[in-house]
Amino acid sequence: MSQPSSSPKTEIIQLCSRHFSSIPLSLSRFQRQWFLTFPRTYGLPDPDSQRIVCVLNSPDYSAADEYAQRHFWLNPSCRSQRYNPSDTTTKYTFLSPLHLLLDSDCPVARLTGRIRSERSNDPHDAGKEIACYEVEVMAPDEGLLRQCYYCLSWEARGSTNVRFSASGGSDIYWCSSCEEAGWVHSTIRKFRLQDIFPWSNADSEYPKDNLYSPNRLISTA
Ligand SMILES: [Zn+2]
Ligand SMILES: [Zn+2]
Protein backbone atom coordinates (compact mmCIF):
# COMPACT_ATOMS: atom_id res chain seq x y z
CA MET A 1 0.00 0.00 0.00
CA SER A 2 1.01 3.61 -0.33
CA GLN A 3 3.48 4.98 2.15
CA PRO A 4 2.35 8.09 4.01
CA SER A 5 6.00 9.07 4.50
CA SER A 6 6.22 10.56 1.01
CA SER A 7 3.75 13.33 1.80
CA PRO A 8 4.55 15.96 4.41
CA LYS A 9 2.56 15.61 7.62
CA THR A 10 -0.28 18.07 7.33
CA GLU A 11 -1.98 19.29 10.46
CA ILE A 12 -5.67 18.81 11.05
CA ILE A 13 -7.37 22.17 10.63
CA GLN A 14 -8.98 23.64 13.71
CA LEU A 15 -11.85 26.08 13.90
CA CYS A 16 -11.37 28.27 16.94
CA SER A 17 -13.69 30.98 18.15
CA ARG A 18 -14.25 32.82 21.38
CA HIS A 19 -17.86 31.60 21.09
CA PHE A 20 -16.93 27.99 21.73
CA SER A 21 -14.94 28.74 24.87
CA SER A 22 -11.78 28.04 22.91
CA ILE A 23 -12.73 24.40 22.27
CA PRO A 24 -11.57 23.84 18.70
CA LEU A 25 -13.69 22.06 16.13
CA SER A 26 -12.60 20.30 12.96
CA LEU A 27 -14.13 19.51 9.62
CA SER A 28 -14.62 16.03 8.16
CA ARG A 29 -16.01 14.70 4.91
CA PHE A 30 -17.10 11.40 3.49
CA GLN A 31 -17.58 11.74 -0.24
CA ARG A 32 -20.24 14.46 -0.55
CA GLN A 33 -21.28 14.73 3.05
CA TRP A 34 -19.64 17.20 5.42
CA PHE A 35 -19.44 17.19 9.20
CA LEU A 36 -18.30 19.39 12.03
CA THR A 37 -16.23 17.20 14.32
CA PHE A 38 -14.21 17.36 17.52
CA PRO A 39 -10.47 17.12 16.85
CA ARG A 40 -9.90 16.11 20.48
CA THR A 41 -11.58 13.71 22.83
CA TYR A 42 -12.04 15.99 25.86
CA GLY A 43 -12.04 13.10 28.33
CA LEU A 44 -15.30 11.58 27.10
CA PRO A 45 -16.00 8.08 28.49
CA ASP A 46 -15.70 6.54 25.04
CA PRO A 47 -13.54 8.83 22.92
CA ASP A 48 -14.99 7.49 19.67
CA SER A 49 -18.62 7.85 20.67
CA GLN A 50 -19.06 11.59 20.23
CA ARG A 51 -16.76 13.03 17.64
CA ILE A 52 -19.42 14.32 15.26
CA VAL A 53 -20.83 17.69 16.32
CA CYS A 54 -23.29 17.86 13.45
CA VAL A 55 -23.93 16.95 9.85
CA LEU A 56 -23.74 20.02 7.62
CA ASN A 57 -25.46 19.02 4.40
CA SER A 58 -27.46 16.50 2.45
CA PRO A 59 -25.21 15.01 -0.24
CA ASP A 60 -25.84 16.62 -3.64
CA TYR A 61 -25.15 14.24 -6.51
CA SER A 62 -25.90 16.79 -9.21
CA ALA A 63 -22.58 18.62 -8.85
CA ALA A 64 -19.44 17.54 -10.73
CA ASP A 65 -16.99 15.45 -8.69
CA GLU A 66 -14.28 18.04 -8.55
CA TYR A 67 -16.67 20.82 -7.62
CA ALA A 68 -18.25 18.68 -4.90
CA GLN A 69 -14.84 18.17 -3.27
CA ARG A 70 -14.79 21.83 -2.26
CA HIS A 71 -18.42 22.95 -2.19
CA PHE A 72 -21.59 21.93 -0.42
CA TRP A 73 -25.00 23.38 0.43
CA LEU A 74 -25.17 23.91 4.13
CA ASN A 75 -28.59 22.83 5.35
CA PRO A 76 -29.11 24.45 8.76
CA SER A 77 -31.61 21.77 9.76
CA CYS A 78 -28.95 19.04 9.57
CA ARG A 79 -27.70 18.55 13.07
CA SER A 80 -27.04 15.93 15.64
CA GLN A 81 -30.12 14.65 17.32
CA ARG A 82 -28.39 13.18 20.28
CA TYR A 83 -28.12 15.23 23.38
CA ASN A 84 -26.60 14.21 26.65
CA PRO A 85 -27.25 16.92 29.26
CA SER A 86 -24.32 15.81 31.41
CA ASP A 87 -21.92 16.21 28.51
CA THR A 88 -20.87 19.82 28.04
CA THR A 89 -19.71 19.25 24.47
CA THR A 90 -23.21 18.52 23.15
CA LYS A 91 -24.33 22.08 23.88
CA TYR A 92 -22.77 23.04 20.55
CA THR A 93 -25.52 21.24 18.72
CA PHE A 94 -27.74 24.13 19.77
CA LEU A 95 -25.60 26.73 18.08
CA SER A 96 -26.27 27.27 14.42
CA PRO A 97 -24.04 25.02 12.26
CA LEU A 98 -23.52 28.01 9.99
CA HIS A 99 -22.20 30.04 12.88
CA LEU A 100 -19.97 27.21 14.09
CA LEU A 101 -18.49 26.75 10.64
CA LEU A 102 -17.89 30.34 9.64
CA ASP A 103 -17.10 32.06 12.90
CA SER A 104 -13.52 30.83 13.22
CA ASP A 105 -10.50 32.99 13.92
CA CYS A 106 -8.68 31.28 11.06
CA PRO A 107 -11.24 30.89 8.28
CA VAL A 108 -11.52 27.42 6.71
CA ALA A 109 -14.69 28.00 4.70
CA ARG A 110 -16.67 30.86 3.23
CA LEU A 111 -20.11 31.47 1.75
CA THR A 112 -20.18 31.75 -2.02
CA GLY A 113 -23.27 33.96 -1.78
CA ARG A 114 -25.54 31.47 -3.53
CA ILE A 115 -28.72 30.41 -1.74
CA ARG A 116 -31.24 27.73 -2.63
CA SER A 117 -34.07 25.97 -0.89
CA GLU A 118 -34.08 22.39 0.37
CA ARG A 119 -36.47 20.43 2.50
CA SER A 120 -35.89 20.79 6.21
CA ASN A 121 -34.67 17.70 8.08
CA ASP A 122 -36.14 19.01 11.30
CA PRO A 123 -39.29 17.03 12.10
CA HIS A 124 -40.83 20.16 13.61
CA ASP A 125 -40.71 21.83 10.21
CA ALA A 126 -42.99 19.15 8.70
CA GLY A 127 -41.03 19.03 5.46
CA LYS A 128 -41.16 22.71 4.67
CA GLU A 129 -38.49 24.29 2.45
CA ILE A 130 -35.71 26.25 4.10
CA ALA A 131 -32.85 28.39 2.80
CA CYS A 132 -29.51 26.60 2.31
CA TYR A 133 -26.22 28.38 1.73
CA GLU A 134 -23.50 27.27 -0.62
CA VAL A 135 -20.17 26.91 1.18
CA GLU A 136 -16.72 26.79 -0.33
CA VAL A 137 -14.16 24.94 1.76
CA MET A 138 -10.72 26.51 1.62
CA ALA A 139 -8.98 23.97 3.86
CA PRO A 140 -7.00 21.31 1.98
CA ASP A 141 -8.24 17.70 2.04
CA GLU A 142 -5.33 16.74 4.27
CA GLY A 143 -6.61 19.18 6.89
CA LEU A 144 -9.84 17.24 7.40
CA LEU A 145 -10.17 14.99 10.45
CA ARG A 146 -10.29 11.33 9.39
CA GLN A 147 -11.95 8.24 10.80
CA CYS A 148 -10.93 4.62 10.34
CA TYR A 149 -13.54 2.91 8.18
CA TYR A 150 -12.84 -0.48 9.77
CA CYS A 151 -12.63 0.07 13.52
CA LEU A 152 -14.27 3.54 13.60
CA SER A 153 -11.45 5.08 15.61
CA TRP A 154 -10.61 8.73 14.92
CA GLU A 155 -7.44 10.63 14.34
CA ALA A 156 -6.07 12.83 17.10
CA ARG A 157 -7.04 10.36 19.80
CA GLY A 158 -4.95 10.85 22.91
CA SER A 159 -1.60 12.49 22.39
CA THR A 160 -0.75 10.88 19.05
CA ASN A 161 -0.74 13.01 15.93
CA VAL A 162 -0.39 10.07 13.53
CA ARG A 163 -2.46 10.64 10.41
CA PHE A 164 -4.56 7.85 8.88
CA SER A 165 -3.84 6.91 5.30
CA ALA A 166 -6.21 6.27 2.43
CA SER A 167 -7.45 2.71 2.06
CA GLY A 168 -7.97 2.50 -1.65
CA GLY A 169 -10.05 5.37 -3.02
CA SER A 170 -13.53 6.72 -2.34
CA ASP A 171 -12.57 8.74 0.74
CA ILE A 172 -12.02 5.66 2.90
CA TYR A 173 -9.25 5.86 5.50
CA TRP A 174 -7.77 3.42 7.96
CA CYS A 175 -5.79 3.60 11.17
CA SER A 176 -2.31 2.14 11.42
CA SER A 177 -3.44 -1.03 13.23
CA CYS A 178 -6.13 -1.83 10.66
CA GLU A 179 -3.65 -1.00 7.88
CA GLU A 180 -1.19 -3.42 9.46
CA ALA A 181 -3.83 -6.14 9.72
CA GLY A 182 -4.74 -5.64 6.05
CA TRP A 183 -8.17 -5.19 4.58
CA VAL A 184 -9.21 -8.84 4.73
CA HIS A 185 -8.70 -9.08 8.47
CA SER A 186 -10.00 -5.58 9.05
CA THR A 187 -13.18 -6.29 7.07
CA ILE A 188 -13.80 -9.51 8.98
CA ARG A 189 -13.22 -7.67 12.25
CA LYS A 190 -15.54 -4.87 11.17
CA PHE A 191 -18.39 -7.22 10.45
CA ARG A 192 -17.83 -9.21 13.61
CA LEU A 193 -18.00 -5.91 15.49
CA GLN A 194 -21.25 -5.12 13.72
CA ASP A 195 -22.75 -8.38 14.97
CA ILE A 196 -22.00 -7.42 18.51
CA PHE A 197 -22.80 -3.70 18.25
CA PRO A 198 -25.08 -3.20 15.26
CA TRP A 199 -24.99 0.49 14.33
CA SER A 200 -28.76 0.49 14.11
CA ASN A 201 -28.92 -0.25 17.81
CA ALA A 202 -29.01 3.22 19.30
CA ASP A 203 -29.54 1.73 22.77
CA SER A 204 -26.00 0.43 23.10
CA GLU A 205 -24.29 2.46 25.75
CA TYR A 206 -21.79 4.37 23.66
CA PRO A 207 -22.54 3.86 19.97
CA LYS A 208 -19.59 5.07 17.93
CA ASP A 209 -20.10 8.06 15.70
CA ASN A 210 -19.71 6.99 12.10
CA LEU A 211 -18.86 9.31 9.22
CA TYR A 212 -19.44 6.49 6.78
CA SER A 213 -22.99 5.81 7.94
CA PRO A 214 -24.26 8.94 9.68
CA ASN A 215 -27.99 8.49 9.10
CA ARG A 216 -28.85 7.96 12.69
CA LEU A 217 -27.54 11.44 13.44
CA ILE A 218 -30.09 13.09 11.21
CA SER A 219 -33.55 13.70 12.57
CA THR A 220 -36.02 11.30 11.06
CA ALA A 221 -38.87 11.04 13.56
ZN1 LIG B 1 -20.07 34.46 16.48
ZN1 LIG C 1 -8.83 1.02 12.48
Side-chain angles (χ1 to χ4, degrees), residues 40-180:
R40 296 184 204 151
T41 55
Y42 307 110
L44 290 170
D46 177 349
D48 292 333
S49 67
Q50 287 194 319
R51 295 293 288 270
I52 297 178
V53 179
C54 63
V55 176
L56 292 169
N57 70 314
S58 306
D60 176 0
Y61 297 97
S62 67
D65 279 349
E66 208 172 314
Y67 192 79
Q69 292 252 305
R70 288 270 155 273
H71 301 82
F72 65 92
W73 290 90
L74 191 147
N75 185 321
S77 71
C78 290
R79 58 178 67 199
S80 170
Q81 202 182 8
R82 285 191 285 136
Y83 173 63
N84 173 1
S86 65
D87 170 16
T88 54
T89 59
T90 56
K91 71 181 179 209
Y92 299 111
T93 60
F94 293 114
L95 283 175
S96 126
L98 193 62
H99 194 151
L100 290 172
L101 177 67
L102 298 176
D103 194 19
S104 170
D105 299 338
C106 47
V108 298
R110 65 178 187 90
L111 295 178
T112 66
R114 296 208 293 162
I115 298 175
R116 76 176 184 189
S117 65
E118 283 182 14
R119 273 170 77 95
S120 172
N121 292 302
D122 186 331
H124 304 293
D125 288 343
K128 80 169 190 220
E129 301 269 317
I130 55 166
C132 297
Y133 308 88
E134 192 184 39
V135 170
E136 178 183 4
V137 177
M138 295 172 298
D141 263 24
E142 302 76 47
L144 305 179
L145 183 75
R146 296 164 180 171
Q147 181 178 30
C148 176
Y149 172 77
Y150 298 96
C151 70
L152 300 181
S153 65
W154 293 76
E155 288 180 325
R157 182 174 176 165
S159 59
T160 67
N161 58 355
V162 175
R163 301 301 310 270
F164 294 176
S165 41
S167 168
S170 308
D171 254 356
I172 289 174
Y173 291 89
W174 52 4
C175 70
S176 55
S177 61
C178 288
E179 185 173 4
E180 233 163 74

Side-chain angles (χ1 to χ4, degrees), residues 11-43:
E11 298 222 342
I12 297 161
I13 49 131
Q14 303 209 340
L15 292 84
C16 297
S17 161
R18 63 202 158 88
H19 293 298
F20 343 133
S21 356
S22 309
I23 291 181
L25 301 177
S26 46
L27 203 54
S28 297
R29 187 195 68 211
F30 175 59
Q31 296 177 352
R32 289 165 187 247
Q33 189 148 45
W34 292 80
F35 306 82
L36 276 177
T37 45
F38 288 117
R40 296 184 204 151
T41 55
Y42 307 110

